Amino acid sequence: MHIIKLEVKKVAYSERELLARIVQCEAGGEGDNGMKAVATVTMNRVNTSEGEYARVSQGGNIRNIIFQEGQYDCARETIRNQYNPQNIYNMTPTEVHYQIADWALAGNKLNEIGDCLWYLNPFRLSCGPTFPYNGSGTLHTRLGKHCFYRPTSLYSQT
């Protein structure tokens, strides 16, 4: 009897491909502005000059930001020890996802989102006043189903 061990190899996606996949996975049902909002937050994290995300991005590394543990559910293959079928490896971006990735990589931002570093879907009609729970972000706006938070002065200490 022979045992065959299969190893899943993760493709080394380009930054453009990763951004297109995270946009599709995190906000594919939120329309162009919802997807641009996610791209804006991702690039804000990549480009911030202070706090936790500045250390994680190490001068602009999109891959480090997307795969930072606990940040994007779509970057995780398992959640609470269960397979997560909605992950970036299962996405098949279309032209619109690549266009939004290119738009963000060119330095564009959705004005409504500004310098926000966080977003979440609260699965209710209202957004909490702060996020994350350490108070380093304050509510800026709601766009579609997602609440967006900009950094407070506490963020620079993270």
Side-chain angles (χ1 to χ4, degrees):
M1 180 168 141
H2 296 288
I3 297 175
I4 299 173
K5 182 179 178 185
L6 296 175
E7 184 176 319
V8 177
K9 293 185 179 183
K10 296 183 180 173
V11 178
Y13 295 124
S14 69
E15 290 188 339
R16 178 183 190 241
E17 182 73 21
L18 277 175
L19 189 54
R21 286 172 178 265
I22 207 73
V23 161
Q24 180 188 25
C25 191
E26 292 279 331
E30 295 284 319
D32 285 1
N33 277 352
M35 292 187 287
K36 285 180 177 180
V38 165
T40 297
V41 167
T42 302
M43 294 309 295
N44 284 348
R45 290 179 180 189
V46 169
N47 295 317
T48 190
S49 61
E50 60 184 22
E52 172 188 8
Y53 297 125
R55 288 189 305 282
V56 170
S57 78
Q58 298 177 347
N61 189 309
I62 292 171
R63 184 175 311 280
N64 287 357
I65 292 296
I66 289 175
F67 289 109
Q68 181 186 5
E69 190 169 331
Q71 298 298 305
Y72 293 92
D73 282 348
C74 286
R76 300 166 58 189
E77 289 187 274
T78 59
I79 297 175
R80 293 181 209 94
N81 296 320
Q82 297 291 317
Y83 177 67
N84 174 24
Q86 187 173 334
N87 67 64
I88 60 173
Y89 306 109
N90 292 338
M91 296 293 107
T92 52
T94 65
E95 189 60 31
V96 69
H97 304 113
Y98 291 112
Q99 288 171 353
I100 290 170
D102 291 341
W103 171 87
L105 289 167
N108 295 296
K109 289 184 173 194
L110 192 62
N111 289 336
E112 296 94 315
I113 302 307
D115 63 350
C116 289
L117 293 176
W118 303 274
Y119 63 88
L120 67 92
N121 180 343
F123 298 99
R124 60 180 184 261
L125 296 176
S126 63
C127 300
T130 60
F131 185 84
Y133 303 106
N134 65 4
S136 61
T138 187
L139 180 63
H140 175 66
T141 192
R142 183 176 185 130
L143 183 65
K145 295 179 181 176
H146 291 90
C147 305
F148 291 84
Y149 297 83
R150 65 176 169 228
T152 66
S153 58
L154 292 175
Y155 171 70
S156 62
Q157 300 168 27
T158 63

